[in-house]
């Protein structure tokens, strides 16, 4: 006689065969991020590949290095790179130190909380305030007939343009770029300053360290990776800016983004292959800057966890 109960238990213990209807699961978890990847591929990866390939081709599609060699041999292009690097370097350095001082003041300066909230809100807005609106704001404020220029001239008898002030110079463009560089520094460095643990200061005080020693031996070593990483990010942010400079001076200002724009869209200097080479040089510089930024940020997060 067959033991039906044992047989049933054996059958029940066996894993059920996969159901063909339920084995396939539609990857719905990817639907939410699909637009991001589609956007990245269409507007970042594919255009970048197109530019890189075009930098190594002539007008007939043949491989050549002439476009890249022209970046060095053409004085106007090499000078444009040098001017852009100077503007980016000084706007990053000045913006970083000014933003760091402002961030330390609002986080550890003992100010009311509404000061911190108002400053961070303004910084978030100002860090994205660039291009034509920023150019108009500066022209309306510090242009030749701007409100501050007229106020200084009529009330204080101080003509800043007679003293040599001009937006269409390296120094003038650095001043304009600082409007969004300093707020961007504040937005990025405040979380790092918040990460400084109160116990570190108490431990330093218990061991007899002065405030200067605490800042020199604890705060600076912890913050310097975040600081250097943000400086590099500010450099890349300034190096690729074009709208503000173009709104001020048009193609007359010799910086790399305007030179690139003139080569691709200009009627006189139209040379797309050379434009691709200029863009390739910008990709290399900003890419290296972002690699160093990620490296410094990883080191800072190791301390601030």
């Amino acid at each position: 006689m067959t033991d039906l109960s044992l047989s049933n238990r054996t059958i029940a213990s066996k894993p059920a065969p996969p159901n063909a209807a339920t084995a396939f699961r539609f990857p719905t978890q990817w639907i939410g991020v699909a637009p991001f990847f589609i956007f990245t591929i269409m507007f970042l990866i594919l255009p970048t590949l197109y530019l890189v390939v075009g930098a190594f081709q002539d007008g007939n599609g043949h491989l050549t290095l002439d476009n890249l060699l022209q970046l060095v041999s053409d004085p106007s292009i090499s000078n444009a790179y040098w001017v852009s690097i100077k503007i980016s370097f000084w706007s990053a350095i000045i913006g970083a130190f000014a933003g760091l001082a402002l961030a330390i003041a609002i986080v550890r300066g003992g100010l009311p909380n509404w000061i911190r909230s108002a400053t961070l809100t303004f910084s978030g807005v100002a860090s994205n305030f660039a291009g034509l609106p920023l150019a108009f704001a500066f022209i309306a404020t510090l242009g030749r007939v701007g409100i501050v220029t007229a106020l200084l001239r009529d009330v204080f008898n101080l003509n800043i343009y007679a003293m040599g002030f001009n937006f269409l110079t390296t120094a003038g463009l650095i001043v304009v770029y600082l409007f969004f560089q300093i707020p961007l520094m504040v937005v990025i460095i405040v979380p790092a300053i918040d990460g400084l643990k109160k116990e570190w200061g108490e431990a330093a005080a218990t061991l007899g360290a002065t405030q200067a020693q605490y800042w020199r031996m604890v705060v600076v070593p912890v913050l310097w990776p975040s600081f250097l990483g943000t400086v590099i990010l500010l450099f890349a942010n300034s190096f690729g800016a074009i709208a503000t400079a173009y709104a001020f001076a048009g193609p007359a200002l010799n910086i790399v983004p305007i030179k690139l724009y003139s080569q691709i869209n200009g009627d006189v200097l139209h040379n797309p292959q050379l434009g691709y080479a200029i863009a390739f040089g910008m990709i290399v510089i900003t890419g290296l800057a972002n690699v160093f930024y990620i490296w410094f940020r990883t080191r800072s997060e190791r301390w601030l966890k």
Side-chain angles (χ1 to χ4, degrees):
M1 182 178 180
T2 304
D3 187 353
L4 295 176
S5 61
L6 178 61
S7 175
N8 288 339
R9 286 198 297 272
T10 304
I11 295 173
S13 63
K14 292 182 178 179
N19 189 340
T22 59
F24 175 77
R25 182 186 175 195
F26 191 78
T28 55
Q29 67 272 23
W30 290 94
I31 293 178
V33 296
F36 167 76
F37 286 108
I38 294 173
F39 185 86
T40 303
I41 292 172
M42 291 184 62
F43 297 100
L44 180 61
I45 295 177
L46 291 180
T48 301
L49 293 176
Y50 184 78
L51 288 174
V52 172
V53 172
F56 292 92
Q57 292 180 330
D58 60 16
N60 297 319
H62 300 141
L63 293 177
T64 180
L65 293 176
D66 290 344
N67 299 322
L68 296 181
L69 293 177
Q70 198 169 347
L71 300 184
V72 182
S73 61
D74 190 327
S76 66
I77 298 177
S78 57
N79 184 62
Y81 272 98
W82 176 238
V83 172
S84 291
I85 289 173
K86 280 197 302 183
I87 293 174
S88 303
F89 175 80
W90 285 114
S91 69
I93 293 294
I94 298 173
F97 277 103
L100 178 65
L102 182 59
I104 291 175
I106 64 176
V107 174
R108 303 177 71 89
L111 298 173
N113 287 331
W114 68 268
I115 294 289
R116 174 190 171 114
S117 301
T119 307
L120 291 180
T121 301
F122 172 79
S123 298
V125 175
S127 61
N128 294 288
F129 188 71
L132 192 57
L134 178 61
F136 173 77
F138 266 87
I139 291 173
T141 305
L142 289 172
R144 291 188 179 275
V145 292
I147 183 171
V148 174
T149 304
L151 184 65
L152 292 175
R153 184 185 62 237
D154 298 339
V155 177
F156 299 99
N157 196 25
L158 186 64
N159 190 338
I160 58 175
Y161 282 88
M163 300 171 63
F165 178 78
N166 191 352
F167 283 127
L168 305 182
T169 61
T170 300
L173 207 56
I174 289 173
V175 172
V176 177
Y177 281 8
L178 287 177
F179 187 85
F180 55 81
Q181 295 280 64
I182 294 174
L184 182 59
M185 179 67 182
V186 172
V187 170
I188 296 176
I189 203 66
V190 160
I193 298 174
D194 279 333
L196 295 173
K197 295 180 174 58
K198 185 180 178 182
E199 293 81 2
W200 297 346
E202 294 173 349
T206 302
L207 295 173
T210 63
Q211 278 293 318
Q213 289 174 322
Y214 166 68
W215 279 83
R216 179 170 57 84
M217 303 178 72
V218 177
V219 175
V220 172
V222 171
L223 285 184
W224 79 265
S226 298
F227 178 79
L228 290 181
T230 309
V231 169
I232 294 173
L233 184 65
L234 295 182
F235 177 90
N237 185 47
S238 175
F239 192 80
I242 176 175
T244 304
Y246 198 85
F248 273 119
L253 195 59
N254 190 32
I255 60 175
V256 176
I258 291 181
K259 181 70 71 178
L260 168 62
Y261 181 81
S262 299
Q263 294 295 338
I264 293 179
N265 290 332
D267 296 330
V268 179
L269 301 175
H270 184 67
N271 185 351
Q273 305 308 130
L274 180 57
Y276 299 153
I278 296 174
F280 177 73
M282 293 183 66
I283 291 171
V284 172
I285 293 175
T286 55
L288 288 174
N290 280 283
V291 167
F292 281 109
Y293 167 69
I294 294 172
W295 183 63
F296 281 119
R297 181 173 179 176
T298 304
R299 290 178 61 86
S300 66
E301 289 177 347
R302 189 185 310 166
W303 278 96
L304 297 174
K305 280 182 179 177

